[in-house]
Amino acid sequence: MNFNNLADDPEDTQHSPAERASAASRSTWVSVAVNIVLSTAQISVGILSKSQALIADGIHSLSDLVSDFVVLVASHYSQKDADEEHPYGHQRFETAASLALGVILLTVGAGMLWSAVGKLQSPDTVPQVHASALWVVGCALVAKETLFRYMLAVAKRVKSSMLVANAWHARSDAASSLVVGIGIIGNLAGYPILDPIAALIVGFMVAKMGWSFGWDAMHDLMDRAANEQEVEAIRRTLIETPGVKNVHDVRTRKMGDLIVVDAHIEVDALITVEAGHDIAVEARQRVLKRHRVLNLMTHVDPWRRPDLDHAQPPAS
């Protein structure tokens, strides 16, 4: 499942970049506070109760602190104005942050897998955990699921794919805590091996989600196009502009949570250059107002006339 699609909306006229940055900051600081408490409790009790799975879950929560600060830094820098070296602005800081989140998750997951495999190779050395570990897991599960729902609601409200990624990071913690809880219950029931097995499953879940986020961010950095629904909505806005007869060659590329668009619009071939220019300006303003588009470059073509841009080269 591509979690970033949860934030996609073909039209967004309600939230400015400043509002998105403010929402990102508030929700992320809430996540920081929750993860400080959880990671401290999980690692401490995990060590005392001899639960590798709970320690792994605590390290996962600790990695959230790192990712939260990555989001805060990216949210700050992505709002910087365009400059000479970055004429389209700094929105791709958000994409870079999503890539960093993916790398963090992948690294943490690999470390968990390595540790769990080591324990599984010596099952006789796996101790029985203390019941206190189960209470901590229960509290962590409730806290993480609540945090996920809060962060996802904020992300969808302001339509930020970076915040969606961070919200699903919190959901991965909730899922991992559930697995850890099952492993601890099995350990307490007389099957000690289930604790490192739970740690192994958590490691795999974390690594898989890290790969997903990293792969999606990598594609966005390589100028991946917006989804078909969004492109069609932009095309519809263009063709509904008075004076535009047809639209073709609409190309898009992601720029953080915004989109850069190139489009060819067709106008009456008999009007003046000035009139055609005015139609193109109106079309651009409509798109920028109704969609999450950073910039639109229009090329004006004559309607129902030979289009030299697509003319076939003469046969040699």
Side-chain angles (χ1 to χ4, degrees):
M1 180 179 181
N2 186 355
F3 301 126
N4 286 338
N5 286 344
L6 293 176
D8 286 342
D9 191 327
E11 300 180 4
D12 180 16
T13 61
Q14 299 180 359
H15 304 99
S16 67
E19 289 173 326
R20 289 189 183 189
S22 177
S25 179
R26 286 196 305 270
S27 64
T28 304
W29 278 115
V30 170
S31 178
V32 166
V34 171
N35 285 315
I36 287 176
V37 174
L38 286 181
S39 60
T40 301
Q42 288 169 311
I43 294 175
S44 299
V45 176
I47 293 173
L48 295 174
S49 64
K50 300 179 181 179
S51 173
Q52 183 190 9
L54 185 57
I55 294 173
D57 206 24
I59 294 174
H60 190 189
S61 297
L62 191 61
S63 73
D64 285 355
L65 285 175
V66 179
S67 65
D68 286 338
F69 283 113
V70 169
V71 171
L72 288 171
V73 171
S75 179
H76 171 74
Y77 280 101
S78 65
Q79 303 309 314
K80 292 177 62 177
D81 294 332
D83 54 36
E84 187 174 344
E85 294 184 350
H86 305 89
Y88 289 100
H90 299 75
Q91 283 78 12
R92 277 190 174 165
F93 263 101
E94 289 200 11
T95 308
S98 294
L99 179 60
L101 287 177
V103 172
I104 290 170
L105 283 170
L106 189 59
T107 303
V108 170
M112 290 179 178
L113 289 171
W114 179 269
S115 178
V117 168
K119 286 287 187 181
L120 290 173
Q121 289 175 344
S122 304
D124 295 337
T125 64
V126 179
Q128 184 173 7
V129 304
H130 191 271
S132 59
L134 189 59
W135 287 100
V136 173
V137 168
C139 293
L141 180 59
V142 173
K144 290 175 179 178
E145 181 65 19
T146 302
L147 180 63
F148 160 72
R149 293 181 182 275
Y150 162 72
M151 294 183 71
L152 186 63
V154 173
K156 294 176 72 173
R157 177 170 58 84
V158 300
K159 301 177 179 64
S160 168
S161 62
M162 181 181 65
L163 289 184
V164 170
N166 213 29
W168 277 97
H169 191 174
R171 165 54 72 85
S172 75
D173 282 358
S176 68
S177 291
L178 179 61
V179 173
V180 168
I182 295 172
I184 291 175
I185 291 173
N187 183 289
L188 293 171
Y191 301 95
I193 196 67
L194 291 181
D195 187 66
I197 289 177
L200 184 72
I201 295 173
V202 170
F204 175 77
M205 293 168 59
V206 173
K208 183 177 183 298
M209 189 160 289
W211 174 264
S212 176
F213 286 156
W215 188 251
D216 284 343
M218 183 69 73
H219 276 289
D220 285 350
L221 288 173
M222 295 172 64
D223 286 342
R224 177 166 57 179
N227 63 50
E228 293 183 6
Q229 177 188 7
E230 208 151 21
V231 174
E232 182 56 34
I234 293 171
R235 185 193 305 275
R236 187 166 60 251
T237 297
L238 287 170
I239 206 165
E240 289 175 354
T241 303
V244 175
K245 304 296 185 180
N246 196 15
V247 178
H248 62 272
D249 286 357
V250 178
R251 297 187 177 94
T252 63
R253 51 193 170 99
K254 301 290 288 295
M255 185 71 70
D257 278 315
L258 301 178
I259 307 168
V260 175
V261 184
D262 299 321
H264 288 224
I265 62 173
E266 298 178 25
V267 302
D268 190 336
L270 300 180
I271 63 176
T272 64
V273 172
E274 182 180 9
H277 172 265
D278 291 342
I279 293 172
V281 170
E282 174 66 18
R284 181 178 184 274
Q285 291 175 343
R286 282 174 172 246
V287 169
L288 295 182
K289 181 179 179 180
R290 296 187 61 187
H291 305 277
R292 293 184 295 116
V293 172
L294 177 65
N295 188 51
L296 168 65
M297 176 65 70
T298 56
H299 176 89
V300 178
D301 286 326
W303 183 50
R304 291 183 177 177
R305 292 289 193 276
D307 186 353
L308 298 183
D309 291 333
H310 298 84
Q312 297 294 326
S316 56

